Amino acid sequence: MMNIQRIIGQVRRAIQDYNMIEEGDKIAVGVSGGKDSMTLLIALQQLQRFFPKKFELEAISLTMGIGNEDFTPIAEYFRQIGINYTIEETIIGKIVFEIRQEHNPCSMCANLRRGALHNSAKRLGCNKVALGHHRDDAIETLLLSTFYEGRIHTFSPVTYLSKKDLYLIRPLIYTEESEIKDIVKSGQLPIVKSPCKFDGNTKRQYIKDLIHELQKEKSDIKSNLFGAIKRSEIDGWHE
């Protein structure tokens, strides 16, 4: 598969740099059906074959309870490649858009989805949850927090949730979004489009577009921002 070996190498390096996986871990991968989570799952499955520490994988998708959600292509793909797959039914979309009628729904939706994913992971006996956040996500989150919250912050490579006794890991932190898009363009991964009407119309998309414009003047701006994250030791990051 195009570029997947390169991404597997990046995932392995991130896992080793931040000690993300230990012997005997059972890892739930949150699969939205989008490019990032699908790529992460395939990279981790490939890594299982030769990584010195043995670990198990479980794939979990959450329904939103809105729109026409069909995870059948993903379920069939996972059956073919031998991945255990759970579809967790929720009404998160109905809560956010119909009951609460949120005008800025992204934060509430994200919190509810996190809770549902963590609960499902615990029921399946997992001790870690792997999320598909990549290098560009880390950079965009830094700018979102700086511009809109007035604080220097981004998510951590590894986070421990004491209330759930779960670790969150982000093995794609060294992988650029463009590399993931290349894999999807090869047409070998089934992708399910999000039913959310706000998909692609968010502050994050604005930041993504802003970075793209700034790159026209300074091509290494993303490298500089990512380097700043590591050098600043934000939330467990390091060189």
Side-chain angles (χ1 to χ4, degrees):
M1 188 182 292
M2 185 187 306
N3 277 349
I4 192 64
Q5 293 304 320
R6 174 177 168 82
I7 291 179
I8 292 168
Q10 293 166 343
V11 165
R12 180 172 186 169
R13 183 160 61 92
I15 288 170
Q16 292 176 326
D17 285 354
Y18 291 94
N19 197 28
M20 293 182 181
I21 293 179
E22 295 290 353
E23 182 74 29
D25 280 345
K26 189 172 184 180
I27 303 169
V29 182
V31 177
S32 66
K35 59 179 173 49
D36 303 333
S37 57
M38 289 296 292
T39 299
L40 171 61
L41 185 59
I42 298 308
L44 286 174
Q45 189 196 37
Q46 295 290 321
L47 187 65
Q48 271 184 311
R49 299 177 181 179
F50 59 87
F51 196 67
K53 297 176 181 179
K54 302 304 178 186
F55 60 93
E56 298 178 55
L57 290 174
E58 294 277 349
I60 303 173
S61 290
L62 305 176
T63 67
M64 292 290 287
I66 56 174
N68 297 316
E69 298 174 285
D70 183 10
F71 289 102
T72 304
I74 293 175
E76 176 59 22
Y77 180 71
F78 287 162
R79 186 190 66 77
Q80 292 175 5
I81 64 174
I83 292 286
N84 293 331
Y85 183 43
T86 299
I87 299 176
E88 193 76 29
E89 302 286 342
T90 83
I91 56 168
I92 290 172
K94 291 184 182 295
I95 293 171
V96 173
F97 294 114
E98 297 177 17
I99 299 173
R100 295 292 297 268
Q101 297 183 2
E102 291 285 321
H103 296 294
N104 297 299
C106 297
S107 179
M108 172 177 281
C109 181
N111 286 335
L112 292 174
R113 287 173 64 83
R114 276 195 294 268
L117 176 61
H118 300 165
N119 289 339
S120 183
K122 291 296 289 186
R123 280 196 299 272
L124 290 168
C126 298
N127 65 313
K128 291 182 178 175
V129 174
L131 302 174
H133 296 135
H134 46 67
R135 185 173 179 264
D136 292 68
D137 286 328
I139 294 166
E140 291 157 13
T141 301
L142 172 71
L143 295 185
L144 281 165
S145 295
T146 304
F147 292 171
Y148 296 107
E149 300 174 9
R151 62 186 183 128
I152 308 297
H153 169 77
T154 191
F155 53 73
S156 306
V158 178
T159 304
Y160 178 62
L161 305 176
S162 57
K163 290 182 179 180
K164 292 288 184 182
D165 191 25
L166 275 175
Y167 283 91
L168 305 184
I169 61 174
R170 295 174 167 92
L172 287 177
I173 53 171
Y174 291 153
T175 303
E176 292 198 45
E177 185 175 27
S178 60
E179 295 176 286
I180 296 170
K181 286 181 176 179
D182 284 344
I183 288 178
V184 174
K185 286 176 184 176
S186 71
Q188 297 181 60
L189 287 180
I191 301 298
V192 173
K193 183 171 174 53
S194 170
C196 178
K197 61 185 178 182
F198 284 87
D199 188 39
N201 186 27
T202 61
K203 288 180 180 177
R204 182 173 292 276
Q205 185 61 48
Y206 169 74
I207 293 294
K208 192 183 296 288
D209 295 339
L210 175 62
I211 293 171
H212 180 71
E213 288 300 312
L214 291 172
Q215 278 187 293
K216 293 178 181 179
E217 296 183 16
K218 187 167 180 57
S219 61
D220 61 349
I221 191 166
K222 286 201 295 186
S223 296
N224 288 346
L225 286 167
F226 192 68
I229 290 172
K230 293 193 292 182
R231 287 189 295 275
S232 299
E233 299 183 355
I234 302 171
D235 289 349
W237 290 84
H238 56 71
E239 286 276 24

